[in-house]
Amino acid sequence: MARVLCVAAVQDGRIKRSSLEVLTHFRQLCDRSGGAVEAVVLDPQPNQFVDTLQKYGASRIFLVAGDAFGQHLNEPVVRALESVFRQSGADAIAFASTESAKDVLGALSVRLGAAVLSDVADVDVRDGDWVATRPVMAAKRHARTKALTTPVIVSVRAGSYVASEAPAEADVVEVSFSDDEQARRPEIREVLVALGGTVDLSEATVVVAAGRGVKDNEGRQLIEELAEVFKAPIGATRAVVESGMYPATSQIGQTGKVVSPDLYFAIGISGAIQHVAGMVNSRVIVAINKDPDAPIFQYCTYGLVGDLYKILPSLTEELRAAVAG
Amino acid sequence: MRFCVCIKQVPDVAAPVHTGRMVLNAYDASAVEEAIVLKEKHGGTVDLVLVGPSGATETIRKALAMGADDAYHIIAEDHDKLDSFAIASMLAGFFEGREYDVIACGKQAQDTDAGLTGPMLAEMKGLPYASNAVGLDIEGDRLVVTRQGDSGQEILVLSPPCLVTCSNDMNDPRIPNLRGIMAAKKKTIESLPMDQVGGNVSPRSQTIDVFDPPGREPGVMLDGEPNEMAGTLVNKLANEAKVI
Ligand SMILES: Cc1cc2nc3c(=O)[nH]c(=O)nc-3n(C[C@H](O)[C@H](O)[C@H](O)COP(=O)(O)OP(=O)(O)OC[C@H]3O[C@@H](n4cnc5c(N)ncnc54)[C@H](O)[C@@H]3O)c2cc1C
Ligand SMILES: Nc1ncnc2c1ncn2[C@@H]1O[C@H](COP(=O)(O)O)[C@@H](O)[C@H]1O
């Protein structure tokens, strides 16, 4: 295998863990097969991330500085990645499957003439063939998909691999980027940032998720208290996002985010297939539902049949004691 | 504005796999709904285009019954062998010489979750685009898109011609009423043979096989009074699952 360029996504001033997972996976693949893994950061101030990327074993690091990257616009990102990719001579470009990545994969693939394997749970390269496993049909089935042409673009679901360090000295290459005033692109009017937890759902080790069983402020309070025990972010179903109880960024599922924490609490959630698609790879799933026939119980590790309003107060108290003790 | 919505027929993911029930992709249904709402508010037209086997006509009729105007069916009998790139290429061929202000796609197909066709098509046509829209509006001659990003929402303004991919969080698609259904029956769907549309239809990826993922171990159901269940659970989380 040859060279893979990993795109390091930045959020809240650091490289996202899911990007480090991707970097680690390809470093390991490259180590085994004699290739090299490289990284690229697009940011107003990309230099600050060099240390982290060296720690995770990038052999070459491309830094593209530009104020445009502080905003969420697809056109400058596609243009910058195209130019870095051509400069690097890599055979493939790899992303963590974030919403920002989904925004650019398709357009970038057309620019590069690349095959795309998107939102994969696993990817391997054998004898030059790129083959990925992708959850399909709302994660009910898995498909093995092969790239028929090169170069290849791949995006990997968060939590598919474990990030691990392997410090290396990297060549640092600064790539100049200038804004193209003539470019046909959307104009950004406003960015609305969701209030609440700063822990990214897709990176959390514990997620507390609420569904329509959580009906009022009292229920919300109970969820918050449980989440507080683990400093965990709060996830939600589409039903309670739609009703305005939780922000859209907390939605987990086919439309929302994919999470795979060590511990997932599904509270007052029925377990519709489109929700399950986003959480079924959690290691341990605890479900609380008053309906013994709720589909969520087919996926859980531990199921508690009962009223969440009655169960949560004692559960939170016991957990607080156990975690503190 | 003149809208054209790209719609796909997909297996119903909520039905058992073996039933083979086919439906309009939910994300595309939201795109159709939003285009119709904007047409009702600001005037304009809403056309549809679908690439798929002859049997997919049913799905086109359903979208017509929601209130769309003209429909085009690009006949591709072995549609399953085509990837997003091949579909986008065909659609790019279809749009050659046709004038639309907004091309709307779903943010992804419910069966493959690829999420690629829209941005690929936009790039092929050199159009500005926004993905994962949760809200659309028209201001003068511009399209205002609210898109859901990783950690918040962005409000973007696009000048037509442009392309947008839609989330189902944008609206609840209407259920066609009897009048809509009757009107849809009378409409003609123009069918276009695949090889007349143009565009490069060689896929760049291929599905080798599809299988059931490894299932989860059956879970343990706890019962008893709330405080008993809480105690048992904490014990199991600590000593059995070792996650706390
Ligand atoms: C294309 C598409 C994409 C979708 N994407 C998503 C997605 O990304 N994420 C998502 O979540 N959904 C998604 N959905 C919606 C999904 O199909 C379900 O409608 C949704 O997940 C239901 O949410 P819920 O479990 O909160 O509500 P419900 O299905 O109404 O379930 C509420 C549950 O709470 C239980 N309950 C009620 N009161 C109590 C109590 N006091 N104590 C304990 N339990 C109680 C009930 O028994 C019930 O099981 C999508 C749908 C479509 C068509
Ligand atoms: N066969 C098709 N015919 C028309 N539009 C399609 C087709 N396949 C995909 N699309 C459009 O592209 C979107 C994303 O598809 P995908 O890239 O397959 O996830 C869909 O929501 C549709 O709007």
Side-chain angles (χ1 to χ4, degrees), chain A residues 210-215 236-242 251-257 264 267-278 288-296 304-311, chain B residues 13-14 25-27 108 110 168-169:
Chain A
R212 216 198 306 257
V214 178
K215 291 192 177 62
T237 64
R238 177 153 184 260
V240 285
V241 167
E242 212 176 11
Q251 183 167 319
I252 292 171
Q254 190 175 23
T255 297
K257 295 191 164 102
Y264 187 89
I267 298 171
I269 292 176
S270 61
I273 181 81
Q274 296 92 349
H275 180 76
V276 170
I288 303 178
N289 197 304
K290 68 178 183 189
D291 173 8
D293 295 325
I296 192 71
L304 283 66
V305 180
D307 184 346
L308 68 92
Y309 287 84
K310 298 211 175 88
I311 296 174
Chain B
V13 298
N25 182 29
Y27 300 98
Q108 66 204 47
Q110 269 177 293
N168 64 327
D169 286 346

Side-chain angles (χ1 to χ4, degrees), chain A residues 10 13 15 40-54 61-66 172-175:
Chain A
V10 174
I15 305 278
V40 52
V41 199
L42 314 179
D43 193 71
Q45 287 156 330
N47 307 48
Q48 53 183 317
F49 305 110
V50 169
D51 285 351
T52 306
L53 293 170
Q54 302 216 51
I61 300 170
F62 295 90
L63 303 177
V64 193
V172 176
V173 184
E174 295 191 12
V175 179

Side-chain angles (χ1 to χ4, degrees), chain A:
Chain A
M1 152 149 153
R3 245 161 334 121
V4 181
L5 178 67
C6 295
V7 180
V10 174
Q11 195 174 313
D12 301 325
R14 52 186 193 89
I15 305 278
K16 280 178 83 99
R17 196 187 71 185
S18 46
S19 292
L20 298 174
E21 292 167 1
V22 174
L23 185 57
T24 303
H25 177 63
F26 284 105
R27 184 192 74 223
Q28 290 167 347
L29 271 183
C30 289
D31 281 353
R32 282 204 295 275
S33 56
V37 68
E38 309 184 333
V40 52
V41 199
L42 314 179
D43 193 71
Q45 287 156 330
N47 307 48
Q48 53 183 317
F49 305 110
V50 169
D51 285 351
T52 306
L53 293 170
Q54 302 216 51
K55 240 189 247 159
Y56 285 84
S59 63
R60 199 153 52 137
I61 300 170
F62 295 90
L63 303 177
V64 193
D67 289 337
F69 307 128
Q71 295 187 320
H72 307 262
L73 286 173
N74 45 43
E75 187 276 336
V77 174
V78 172
R79 196 152 46 83
L81 288 179
E82 178 191 12
S83 112
V84 172
F85 187 76
R86 295 199 189 284
Q87 187 175 338
S88 80
D91 309 276
I93 182 159
F95 291 82
S97 189
T98 60
E99 212 53 70
S100 317
K102 290 177 186 175
D103 193 30
V104 299
L105 291 182
L108 184 64
S109 77
V110 172
R111 293 257 182 122
L112 299 178
V116 197
L117 303 170
S118 67
D119 213 23
V120 309
D122 188 27
V123 54
D124 200 358
V125 190
R126 292 240 168 110
D127 307 324
D129 275 346
W130 285 69
V131 179
T133 305
R134 310 185 57 251
V136 294
M137 297 293 288
K140 270 202 296 205
R141 309 264 287 160
H142 281 180
R144 273 198 311 151
T145 306
K146 183 174 143 179
L148 298 176
T149 59
T150 48
V152 175
I153 300 181
V154 59
S155 68
V156 182
R157 290 185 157 206
S160 300
Y161 304 109
V162 177
S164 70
E165 298 183 5
E169 271 299 310
D171 289 337
V172 176
V173 184
E174 295 191 12
V175 179
S176 70
F177 175 84
S178 55
D179 224 19
D180 178 1
E181 299 294 337
Q182 304 304 311
R184 289 178 58 82
R185 67 159 75 141
E187 169 192 311
I188 202 152
R189 176 179 288 176
E190 204 178 344
V191 179
L192 309 166
V193 178
L195 297 174
T198 51
V199 191
D200 194 328
L201 271 175
S202 54
E203 306 196 346
T205 50
V206 181
V207 169
V208 175
R212 216 198 306 257
V214 178
K215 291 192 177 62
D216 46 22
N217 279 335
E218 185 196 343
R220 252 180 21 191
Q221 185 75 30
L222 292 173
I223 293 288
E224 262 164 49
E225 284 166 10
L226 173 57
E228 183 55 32
V229 172
F230 299 99
K231 303 269 180 286
I234 295 174
T237 64
R238 177 153 184 260
V240 285
V241 167
E242 212 176 11
S243 73
M245 288 219 346
Y246 290 96
T249 41
S250 56
Q251 183 167 319
I252 292 171
Q254 190 175 23
T255 297
K257 295 191 164 102
V258 174
V259 302
S260 50
D262 290 334
L263 179 56
Y264 187 89
F265 288 93
I267 298 171
I269 292 176
S270 61
I273 181 81
Q274 296 92 349
H275 180 76
V276 170
M279 48 68 81
V280 70
N281 283 324
S282 306
R283 190 155 81 75
V284 173
I285 298 171
V286 173
I288 303 178
N289 197 304
K290 68 178 183 189
D291 173 8
D293 295 325
I296 192 71
F297 288 130
Q298 294 163 22
Y299 306 94
C300 72
T301 321
Y302 302 113
L304 283 66
V305 180
D307 184 346
L308 68 92
Y309 287 84
K310 298 211 175 88
I311 296 174
L312 283 185
S314 24
L315 180 60
T316 300
E317 202 183 298
E318 297 254 3
L319 282 169
R320 195 181 289 129
V323 169

Side-chain angles (χ1 to χ4, degrees), chain A residues 118 134, chain B residues 5-10 25-29 31 49-53 74 76 79 82-85 87-88 90-91 104-121 164-166:
Chain A
S118 67
R134 310 185 57 251
Chain B
V5 188
C6 304
I7 59 172
K8 183 183 182 187
Q9 186 187 55
V10 295
N25 182 29
Y27 300 98
D28 303 350
V49 58
L50 174 143
V51 182
I74 302 171
H79 173 259
L82 303 173
D83 66 351
S84 301
F85 176 74
I87 298 287
M90 236 181 267
L91 291 171
C105 290
K107 79 155 174 150
Q108 66 204 47
Q110 269 177 293
D111 54 346
T112 63
D113 281 341
L116 297 167
T117 305
M120 280 178 168
L121 176 58
V164 60
T165 79
C166 303

